[in-house]
């Protein structure tokens, strides 16, 4: 699977909206590839604008990974950020309700590897869980991988 990267692309010396186009493309995409993706997006958003109005001066910068892309290159999908709760060297893996003869409580299993950590779709959900678990826990963004739940 091709690994992607987020780029911020702007085509210089022209007014159009949005000013910066967030493009998610392969890590080895050329400036020309990025310019074509951004140009197609600009023209789709500004139908009154002729393609000849777009100059060849393109500015490509690394994109902020927290931004949502405007354009995704064909064959790629944008990874969904996953958040985990880290406590020291251990990550929370699962929570299950434990019942003992004289007590009931929620039990947390821990693992050393980030790929098996309990994942949350949003940072807020991870922070709420961390607050419940232990306010000293650290909420971190996890690596994307295929070996997690």
């Amino acid at each position: 699977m091709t690994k992607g990267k987020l780029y911020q692309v702007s085509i210089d010396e022209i007014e159009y909206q949005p000013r910066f186009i967030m493009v998610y493309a392969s890590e080895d995409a050329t400036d020309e590839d990025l310019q074509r993706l951004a140009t197609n997006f600009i023209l789709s958003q500004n139908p009154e604008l002729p393609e000849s109005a777009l100059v060849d001066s393109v500015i490509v910068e690394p994109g902020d990974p927290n931004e949502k892309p405007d354009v995704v290159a064909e064959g790629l999908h944008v990874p969904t950020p996953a958040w985990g709760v880290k406590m020291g060297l251990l990550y929370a893996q699962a929570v299950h309700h434990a019942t003992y003869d004289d007590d009931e409580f929620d039990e947390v299993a821990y693992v050393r590897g980030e790929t098996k950590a309990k994942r949350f779709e949003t940072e807020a959900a991870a922070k709420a869980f961390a607050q419940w678990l232990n306010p000293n826990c650290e909420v971190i963004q996890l690596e994307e991988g295929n070996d997690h739940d």
Side-chain angles (χ1 to χ4, degrees):
M1 181 163 70
T2 307
K3 194 167 182 184
K5 181 178 175 184
L6 192 65
Y7 301 91
Q8 179 178 292
V9 180
S10 61
I11 297 178
D12 207 12
E13 299 173 21
I14 185 163
E15 286 302 314
Y16 57 86
Q17 295 300 324
R19 185 74 184 113
F20 298 104
I21 311 303
M22 301 307 288
V23 178
Y24 188 79
S26 70
E27 288 186 319
D28 57 354
T30 64
D31 284 359
E32 290 79 26
D33 297 336
L34 297 170
Q35 181 176 1
R36 174 56 34 207
L37 289 166
T39 299
N40 290 344
F41 179 77
I42 292 166
L43 294 174
S44 73
Q45 299 297 307
N46 301 275
E48 73 289 346
L49 195 65
E51 187 168 354
S52 60
L54 299 175
V55 294
D56 287 337
S57 175
V58 64
I59 300 167
V60 176
E61 297 174 323
D64 179 353
N66 295 320
E67 289 276 337
K68 186 176 178 201
D70 297 307
V71 181
V72 178
E74 193 173 326
L76 293 178
H77 80 282
V78 180
T80 306
W83 298 87
V85 176
K86 185 176 181 182
M87 189 169 183
L89 298 173
L90 302 176
Y91 295 86
Q93 180 187 28
V95 180
H96 55 273
H97 193 69
T99 305
Y100 293 94
D101 291 342
D102 58 348
D103 202 3
E104 273 187 53
F105 55 90
D106 290 326
E107 214 171 45
V108 181
Y110 291 99
V111 290
R112 292 201 178 275
E114 169 177 322
T115 56
K116 297 213 182 299
K118 181 172 177 60
R119 290 174 180 262
F120 299 88
E121 288 187 18
T122 64
E123 185 178 13
K127 284 183 177 179
F129 176 75
Q131 188 66 35
W132 169 83
L133 181 62
N134 180 337
N136 295 325
C137 288
E138 179 184 2
V139 173
I140 60 165
Q141 193 163 1
L142 299 174
E143 298 286 323
E144 184 186 28
N146 295 327
D147 54 353
H148 56 76
D149 47 2

